[in-house]
Amino acid sequence: MSAAPKADDDKQSASSGDGFSDVERAAIKERAAELRGAARRGRGTGKAAADERDVLAKIAEMAPPDRALAERVHAVVTAAAPELAPKLWYGQPAYARAGKVVCFFRSGRADKERYSSLGFTVEANLDDDDGMWPTAYALTTLGEAGEAALTELVKKAVS
């Protein structure tokens, strides 16, 4: 038998009448705004530069602990896989190849979680021969060992 959710969890996890929590509705609205903005921008180097500015602006808005993590993740991902283009995805930093998101950062504070996360989509080449592999990692800090592991993951994801 599972425990009842805490009152603080209700806003995030409990569904409202339309089936989405407040956090989920906010993410959907941000994604819709991203798609409208992308349609207005068109294609080309101007779009890529604007997408990266949007990512850096979103990172700058984050609370200090998440901002520091997001800055490190951004630096590691862009250095390890310069072919990935930064873009916003559901209101959070993501990195795409040919328009398809390969990996993304989720702010823990934005999601009302105790940790941030780094996730990989089906576009990432992380498949393991044993048929089981992680697609998301919890982040509270990112030291030297974590940066090295992240570098290897991103390189494998784009291989």
Coordinates of all heavy atoms in Angstrom, one line a residue, residues 13 64 78 81 103 105 122:
S13 N 1.9 16.8 -9.0 CA 1.5 15.5 -9.5 C 0.0 15.2 -9.6 O -0.3 14.4 -10.4 CB 2.2 14.4 -8.6 OG 1.7 14.5 -7.3
P64 N 20.2 30.0 -8.5 CA 21.7 29.8 -8.5 C 22.2 28.3 -8.6 O 23.0 28.0 -9.4 CB 22.2 30.5 -7.3 CG 21.2 31.6 -7.1 CD 19.9 31.0 -7.5
T78 N 28.3 21.2 -25.3 CA 28.7 21.9 -26.5 C 30.2 21.7 -26.9 O 30.5 21.7 -28.0 CB 28.5 23.5 -26.4 OG1 29.1 24.0 -25.2 CG2 27.0 23.8 -26.3
A81 N 30.2 17.7 -28.1 CA 29.4 17.4 -29.3 C 29.1 18.8 -30.0 O 27.9 19.2 -29.9 CB 28.2 16.6 -29.1
C103 N 19.7 15.3 -26.2 CA 19.7 15.3 -24.7 C 19.2 16.7 -24.2 O 19.1 17.6 -25.0 CB 21.1 15.1 -24.2 SG 22.4 16.3 -24.8
F105 N 18.4 19.2 -20.4 CA 18.6 19.5 -18.9 C 17.2 19.9 -18.4 O 16.5 20.6 -19.1 CB 19.6 20.6 -18.8 CG 19.7 21.0 -17.3 CD1 20.6 20.4 -16.5 CD2 19.0 22.1 -16.8 CE1 20.8 20.7 -15.2 CE2 19.2 22.5 -15.5 CZ 20.1 21.8 -14.7
V122 N 15.3 9.1 -27.6 CA 15.5 8.0 -28.5 C 16.5 8.3 -29.6 O 17.1 7.4 -30.2 CB 14.2 7.4 -29.1 CG1 13.3 6.9 -28.0 CG2 13.5 8.5 -29.9

